[in-house]
Amino acid sequence: MTELLTAMGIIFVIAGVFLLGAHYFRLATVPALILAGIVAGQFIQEDILLEIAQWGIAFLVFVYGVNLEFGDIRNVLRDSELAAFAQFAVISTVGYGAGLLLGYDALNAAYLAVAAGLSSTIVGTASLQSEIRENLVYGRLANSIHFIQDLIAVLLILILAAETFTTEAVGQRLAIGIGLLVVAFIISTYLFDYLLKLAEGSQELLLISSVSILIGFMAISEFLGISIVLGAFAAGLAIKRDFTRNLGMLNGIQSIRDFFVAIFFVTVGALVAVPTLEIALAALVLIVLTVLVKPLIIIATLLWEGYDTRASTFTSLSLDQVSEFALIIAIQALILDHLLRELFDAIVLAAAITMITSSFTRRHDDQIYRMLSELGLDKFHGEKTDDRSQIEPDLHDHVIVVGFGRIGRQLASQCEQIGREFVVIENDPARFGELQSSCTHFVFGDALHDYTWEKAQHESAQLIVSTVDTTYLSERILTLDTDAEMMLRSSNAEEARSQLQQGADYVIIPDLLATEQLTEHLKDVLAGDVDREALREHHLKTLDEFEQAGFASLGKTEYDDGQW
């Protein structure tokens, strides 16, 4: 215990120095933490580092499980299955062949294949939180691909962690893993609501109870002889995520995540060893497969499934890292003496490098997309837009509605009522069926592309209404060569003012509209123009109309209009 506490102290002191330097020079955090780990690793024994790494990843996987929202990914899960399995199958097959060519035996070649095939969970989803919250297509796609690959990783951990690869040993571990997931499902479905009632009014008690569930699952995993990471993953799935009732708990869990994210990056850096030629070659293979080949396979698969080039590219750039699960598999294999030391060092080196490069690609994803477009990626966009759009030529004085979420559907319905032709622009495959059944004219494509606007015949439109609160999309609309009036959407007054100065005719600010409506009701009540019963009846009538329009029971995914 003393050695562990000393190691943690060394990690925090050195990481603090590097983080201060990164903040002062405005450098990225991830490279700073990994460099801090390289320095800290000189003062900490490897067995202690391996233990810290396993516990750190276990807590991060737990937070990932808690944060996982099936509602965010269910509409894209079927498409994600193909992308996730195709990418893993191709990359792992190539990785296995490369391992054999490098001279590894079949088992070690398999470990190299797994390290190449699995994509990052914690790092990827942590950087995608804003995209997931805003319901952007590529955020949901990447999150669902991560989840599917996590299930693959869980299966591989159970199989590869067996001391002997006999049917009995592997079957026993698979049974234990499935049992843990079943217990997690039972707790989430039947018992967690009871826990909420017991902890009513005490977010601290709820947080402690959730951490207790985590510790309990990890203890059971340790007792049954499987990775504590699997117990942590099951514990995260056992806890229901509820923003309205459990905000304090979620804030606490997010603090845990931030703490262990730093620990994770430092331990990865601390495990990096000076590479020999053999280690460097194996690491290079992993880096090329992870950073270059894997994104290309994801892009090709998603384009084939009908997604636009931008969503496909951005999704692929959130999967260009060696997975934390791959590190757990490597650590366990090293402890069981299944993995060559040189290959372990290569996997750790590749993980450290790809986590640094991924911070760069996430920061410059738009520039990378533009570069790929100039190299010819955009030629696929027009074909997909033509195949999946439905529009008549020579439209005139029509309305173009960008986004077919809640607001977009209401606007389309209003256009129908007044007999005005309209065209909907949408790029979310989850809404394609509804577009076909509800709209006479629609363009299924990326609203950032010129071809999409040409298809929508923007030059002859009378009005363009964007329901999407995305700055770069609004700026793109303002650059269109058209005399159409423009109504955009923003979340803050400063941005709205800027857009009005750039040529927008009106900018929708939902909070401002709600405030204006509330103010009018306040004036009416205080002036005596309306009594309490009349106000209540009016509101009930509005809610009835809202329900009849089919919006009352929709979840977060359907309420949001942001796809780009």
Side-chain angles (χ1 to χ4, degrees):
M1 180 60 72
T2 303
E3 292 178 343
L4 182 61
L5 292 176
T6 302
M8 293 294 290
I10 292 172
I11 286 174
F12 281 119
V13 170
I14 295 177
V17 172
F18 274 80
L19 285 176
L20 284 174
H23 178 73
Y24 180 79
F25 292 106
R26 297 183 179 180
L27 302 175
T29 300
V30 172
L33 289 172
I34 291 177
L35 289 174
I38 293 174
V39 175
Q42 309 305 312
F43 306 98
I44 305 173
Q45 295 179 3
E46 184 181 78
D47 58 339
I48 299 296
L49 285 173
L50 293 177
E51 184 177 352
I52 293 174
Q54 290 186 78
W55 278 87
I57 294 174
F59 274 90
L60 292 177
V61 169
F62 165 70
V63 175
Y64 169 75
V66 173
N67 284 330
L68 185 65
E69 275 285 339
F70 289 100
D72 288 336
I73 65 176
R74 68 172 181 268
N75 289 332
V76 296
L77 196 57
R78 181 173 298 177
D79 296 337
S80 301
E81 290 174 358
L82 178 59
F85 284 117
Q87 175 254 290
F88 181 78
V90 173
I91 294 296
S92 59
T93 300
V94 175
Y96 183 78
L100 295 177
L101 290 175
L102 289 172
Y104 296 120
D105 58 60
L107 181 58
N108 279 273
Y111 280 115
L112 188 145
V114 168
L118 294 176
S119 297
S120 177
T121 295
I122 312 305
V123 183
T125 53
S127 64
L128 284 169
Q129 288 307 305
S130 62
E131 288 85 349
I132 295 168
R133 284 195 301 269
E134 294 174 11
N135 193 35
L136 300 182
V137 169
Y138 73 89
R140 287 186 285 129
L141 274 171
N143 200 27
S144 59
I145 292 174
H146 285 307
F147 174 67
I148 293 168
Q149 292 211 356
D150 287 346
L151 296 180
I152 297 174
V154 167
L155 181 65
L156 291 171
I157 288 175
L158 291 169
I159 294 173
L160 296 175
E163 293 184 9
T164 58
F165 296 111
T166 63
T167 303
E168 181 180 357
V170 172
Q172 184 182 43
R173 278 166 172 75
L174 289 176
I176 292 172
I178 293 172
L180 282 176
L181 294 178
V182 170
V183 172
F185 174 78
I186 293 173
I187 292 175
S188 175
T189 306
Y190 301 106
L191 301 181
F192 200 75
D193 285 334
Y194 181 69
L195 178 61
L196 289 176
K197 292 179 182 178
L198 290 177
E200 191 69 39
S202 176
Q203 297 293 340
E204 294 81 6
L205 179 59
L206 189 57
L207 177 60
I208 292 173
S209 300
S210 300
V211 175
S212 298
I213 291 174
L214 166 64
I215 300 300
F217 269 92
M218 291 170 66
I220 293 172
S221 300
E222 184 80 15
F223 177 76
L224 295 174
I226 64 173
S227 172
I228 60 173
V229 174
L230 297 188
F233 183 62
L237 297 179
I239 296 174
K240 281 187 175 180
R241 184 175 186 182
D242 188 330
F243 282 105
T244 57
R245 298 170 66 184
N246 307 331
L247 186 59
M249 182 196 76
L250 291 171
N251 288 336
I253 289 176
Q254 291 302 105
S255 298
I256 292 174
R257 188 202 72 182
D258 294 340
F259 175 80
F260 280 102
V261 161
I263 296 295
F264 168 73
F265 284 123
V266 174
T267 52
V268 170
L271 288 170
V272 171
V274 178
T276 63
L277 179 60
E278 180 182 354
I279 293 172
L281 285 175
L284 180 62
V285 168
L286 286 171
I287 292 168
V288 170
L289 291 176
T290 302
V291 176
L292 298 178
V293 182
K294 185 182 296 183
L296 293 177
I297 293 173
I298 293 291
I299 291 173
T301 306
L302 293 177
L303 286 176
W304 183 80
E305 290 181 309
Y307 288 89
D308 61 79
T309 54
R310 191 170 186 275
S312 301
T313 302
F314 280 26
T315 300
S316 73
L317 294 178
S318 64
L319 296 161
D320 58 349
Q321 309 143 22
V322 172
S323 173
E324 298 84 359
F325 276 112
L327 289 176
I328 281 295
I329 292 172
I331 290 172
Q332 287 195 338
L334 184 69
I335 294 172
L336 292 171
D337 203 26
H338 290 169
L339 185 67
L340 291 173
R341 177 68 207 207
E342 292 78 8
L343 182 54
F344 174 81
D345 290 340
I347 292 173
V348 171
L349 179 60
I353 292 175
T354 57
M355 287 171 184
I356 292 174
T357 58
S358 68
S359 66
F360 174 83
T361 56
R362 286 288 295 145
R363 182 177 298 183
H364 300 284
D365 52 7
D366 196 57
Q367 292 94 317
I368 294 172
Y369 166 67
R370 293 179 186 278
M371 180 185 70
L372 292 176
S373 297
E374 292 174 359
L375 292 175
L377 183 64
D378 262 1
K379 69 179 183 181
F380 298 101
H381 181 81
E383 297 173 3
K384 293 295 182 182
T385 301
D386 286 336
D387 293 341
R388 306 193 71 178
S389 297
Q390 179 178 293
I391 189 168
E392 296 176 1
D394 301 325
L395 288 177
H396 192 72
D397 291 336
H398 55 290
V399 178
I400 298 177
V401 179
V402 183
F404 202 58
R406 175 176 62 86
I407 299 175
R409 289 194 291 271
Q410 288 179 311
L411 293 173
S413 176
Q414 185 64 32
C415 287
E416 285 184 345
Q417 291 180 22
I418 64 177
R420 175 58 64 90
E421 295 280 12
F422 66 94
V423 176
V424 173
I425 296 178
E426 178 59 73
N427 74 331
D428 189 345
R431 293 171 177 163
F432 183 68
E434 190 175 2
L435 283 172
Q436 288 182 304
S437 61
S438 304
C439 304
T440 304
H441 307 294
F442 63 86
V443 177
F444 192 82
D446 189 348
L448 293 169
H449 276 279
D450 293 337
Y451 188 75
T452 299
W453 289 102
E454 292 173 12
K455 193 79 175 175
Q457 302 171 48
H458 68 287
E459 292 182 351
S460 59
Q462 180 182 350
L463 174 64
I464 297 173
V465 185
S466 174
T467 67
V468 182
D469 181 12
T470 305
T471 303
Y472 48 77
L473 177 57
S474 297
E475 292 175 350
R476 175 69 185 89
I477 294 173
L478 289 170
T479 64
L480 293 174
D481 184 15
T482 178
D483 293 329
E485 297 179 55
M486 296 181 183
M487 299 178 67
L488 307 177
R489 179 177 174 180
S490 178
S491 58
N492 64 83
E494 182 178 352
E495 184 178 77
R497 184 185 302 276
S498 174
Q499 291 170 356
L500 289 169
Q501 292 172 347
Q502 293 177 59
D505 297 281
Y506 187 81
V507 180
I508 307 163
I509 305 179
D511 287 345
L512 177 60
L513 294 178
T515 300
E516 290 177 348
Q517 187 177 39
L518 182 60
T519 302
E520 289 300 319
H521 289 323
L522 177 66
K523 289 179 179 178
D524 291 340
V525 171
L526 294 178
D529 295 336
V530 61
D531 57 30
R532 295 170 56 186
E533 191 62 33
L535 180 62
R536 184 182 298 109
E537 290 298 324
H538 172 73
H539 195 46
L540 285 171
K541 181 181 178 181
T542 303
L543 290 175
D544 288 340
E545 294 173 351
F546 193 69
E547 290 176 352
Q548 291 172 6
F551 303 131
S553 61
L554 298 178
K556 176 183 180 297
T557 299
E558 290 298 320
Y559 270 87
D560 290 341
D561 291 277
Q563 295 90 33
W564 280 268

